[in-house]
DNA sequence: TCTAATTGTCTAGATCAATAGACAAATTGA
DNA sequence: TCAATTTGTCTATTGATCTAGACAATTAGA
């Protein structure tokens, strides 16, 4: 839409700005039909910088897993399109990405029982300090980390949720095994911020990258809150769709 | 939640990382009840950098209008809380921010008639190349730019929309004057990216800042598309809430 | 009024970012 | 096989960023 120029002396190195620009350009026709980027010399001319500066940008994107380059041939994009993740009343990780990635999977990184803090207690409608179970999860599409979420469940109602998730790799199935066959999204809040340490590690991002943060509550058929979760998405790999009804 | 450490040699200057960190810390208890930040020396110690580096970060935030500092007294936050902007079927700019800001206003920056491109035509259900009216608008809360939007309307159905918006400073009223008394949001897509030139100028951001981009279609009572819009929010000043139903 | 706390300004040196140029190494197609 | 294209590596130089230290200016409180 607007051709964002580079800014010097604003605390962001040119190679990083160019890297962000290239990432954005991918999917907007920067690469050709084979996913091949223009040669370094041409990019340098287009951005009005030295080739070494473009090379630094490309090196960073290669490190992130966005690009891959071959001597004598050129530099190629690893994945062309951004995923679209639906946010609606009936969001399920795997079903939402169907048709966009061959392999979709939820991995349980960690789980623990802990007393609910004020926010979690309020969201789940529990008294403060009541025991809840916290799950740390990673969502993957074709082996690439897409989302990193933290969820809380009542320890009384879902004592075995962690085991079920570990076994089935699915929240929907784990809830079904716990006796909750249906659930829906009651509310979602979305914000954006720079990636922090946890994000860069788990989502394989570089510092300065953007994460979308979605916080929300899932309720059962009777409207009773069963899950509070906070999910971080890589803004480079995902966009969110708010589906009506 | 996680104490994000600083990263050296990653293309983002320390003073900018610290600036982002301070911005995030505001509203998470970094400033005291009077909006006063810890002294520079303490911040420098906390981040493990020289005081001059913290000063560079603060200088940038002062330039952005986030902070204000007084010699001998300390450094203060200008606005403590982030606004919450609701995204739902019945989103209206002014009503959505009611109670969060005293003064809310929509300003028409520019308008023109132009042939619809493929995306706009598809969204509005028009043939490609049919004339549409494009409005460039700025949303303000208490004089601070909050959102920057571009909207398209059918030129046949809403020939005078620009004049009505300029006069009433309200989309809802301009549509009513055009004969459309009710409308609702059919779909919204949300993504996050770094601010580009237009964003930094109109929303008074610094490069490297984050914008939330919401794209969506409003339809009238019969489900007929009447407005396609693309709105950019400053992620530092706004969070989005997805309201159900 | 004096002192402590705090922000503002200056100087000097060390490290990182960007430019410039040259040439090597690999690939492709004539 | 040869030439053109493209990525990979090296050296050297200039400007931006970060550190270190010292001291001035302003404010608030004892």
């Amino acid at each position: 839409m607007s051709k964002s120029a580079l800014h010097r002396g604003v605390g962001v190195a040119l190679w990083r700005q160019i890297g962000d620009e290239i990432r954005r350009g991918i999917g907007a026709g920067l690469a050709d039909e084979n996913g091949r980027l223009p040669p370094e010399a041409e990019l340098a001319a287009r951005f009005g910088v030295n080739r070494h500066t473009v090379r630094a940008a490309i090196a960073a994107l290669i490190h992130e897993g966005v690009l891959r380059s071959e001597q004598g041939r050129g530099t190629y994009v690893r994945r062309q399109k951004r995923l679209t993740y639906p946010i609606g009343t009936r969001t399920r990780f795997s079903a939402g990405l169907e048709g966009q990635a061959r392999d979709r999977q939820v991995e349980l990184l960690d789980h623990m029982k802990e007393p609910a803090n004020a926010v979690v207690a309020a969201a789940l409608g529990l008294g403060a300090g009541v025991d809840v179970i916290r799950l740390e999860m990673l969502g993957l599409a074709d082996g690439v980390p897409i989302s990193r979420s933290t969820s809380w469940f009542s320890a009384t109602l879902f004592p075995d949720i962690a085991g079920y998730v570990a076994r089935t790799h699915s929240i929907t199935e784990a809830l079904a095994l716990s006796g909750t066959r249906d659930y829906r999204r009651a509310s979602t809040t979305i914000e954006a911020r720079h990636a922090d340490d946890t994000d860069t590690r788990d989502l394989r991002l570089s510092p300065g990258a953007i994460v979308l943060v979605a916080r929300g509550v899932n309720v059962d058929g009777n409207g009773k809150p069963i899950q509070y979760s906070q999910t971080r998405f890589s803004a480079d790999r995902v966009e969110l769709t708010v589906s009506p009804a």
Side-chain angles (χ1 to χ4, degrees), chain A:
Chain A
M1 195 122 274
S2 79
K3 191 164 294 178
S4 158
L6 300 177
H7 304 265
R8 288 166 191 262
V10 292
V12 184
L14 288 181
W15 62 263
R16 173 152 291 287
Q17 297 183 52
I18 291 171
D20 294 341
E21 199 58 38
I22 291 175
R23 248 192 316 231
R24 200 185 325 165
I26 297 169
L30 180 61
D32 70 10
E33 65 281 358
N34 298 318
R36 184 172 183 274
L37 286 187
E40 294 171 354
E42 190 186 320
L43 288 172
R46 195 183 298 187
F47 288 116
V49 300
N50 194 272
R51 183 165 77 96
H52 293 294
T53 309
V54 169
R55 283 181 60 72
I58 289 175
L61 293 175
I62 288 172
H63 182 75
E64 275 181 49
V66 175
L67 299 179
R68 140 186 75 84
S69 65
E70 295 171 29
Q71 187 167 2
R73 278 172 41 84
T75 303
Y76 293 81
V77 177
R78 276 194 187 279
R79 169 189 277 279
Q80 288 258 34
K81 290 204 314 189
R82 188 147 56 170
L83 296 172
T84 298
Y85 188 86
I87 299 241
T89 50
R90 316 204 128 257
T91 296
R92 277 102 178 104
F93 181 80
S94 183
L97 297 179
E98 201 164 351
Q100 299 188 73
R102 273 192 313 284
D103 176 45
R104 313 171 298 278
Q105 181 171 323
V106 172
E107 196 178 299
L108 183 65
L109 299 178
D110 198 7
H111 64 97
M112 67 203 62
K113 188 188 282 194
E114 63 184 15
N117 67 25
V119 173
V120 171
L124 293 178
L126 302 173
V130 168
D131 268 357
V132 291
I133 290 178
R134 180 170 114 213
L135 304 186
E136 300 289 347
M137 283 170 293
L138 190 66
L140 299 131
D142 294 337
V144 178
I146 293 301
S147 65
R148 174 72 178 74
S149 68
T150 307
S151 288
W152 290 266
F153 300 83
S154 154
T156 317
L157 296 175
F158 303 97
D160 305 316
I161 189 86
Y164 293 151
V165 170
R167 226 170 62 207
T168 62
H169 291 273
S170 158
I171 291 281
T172 307
E173 291 185 38
L175 285 172
L177 288 171
S178 305
T180 300
R181 243 162 309 278
D182 194 29
Y183 65 95
R184 63 189 166 79
R185 193 74 158 186
S187 70
T188 307
T189 301
I190 298 163
E191 62 172 55
R193 56 168 173 77
H194 287 106
D196 65 16
D197 275 2
T198 317
D199 301 326
T200 52
R201 181 166 21 84
D202 296 336
L203 293 173
R204 279 189 236 149
L205 298 174
S206 61
I210 302 177
V211 291
L212 281 160
V213 184
R215 284 174 233 272
V217 177
N218 279 328
V219 299
D220 67 11
N222 304 319
K224 182 183 169 57
I226 55 173
Q227 176 187 16
Y228 174 65
S229 64
Q230 197 239 55
T231 307
R232 287 83 75 200
F233 296 89
S234 157
D236 292 328
R237 312 205 257 260
V238 181
E239 65 179 17
L240 305 177
T241 319
V242 179
S243 12

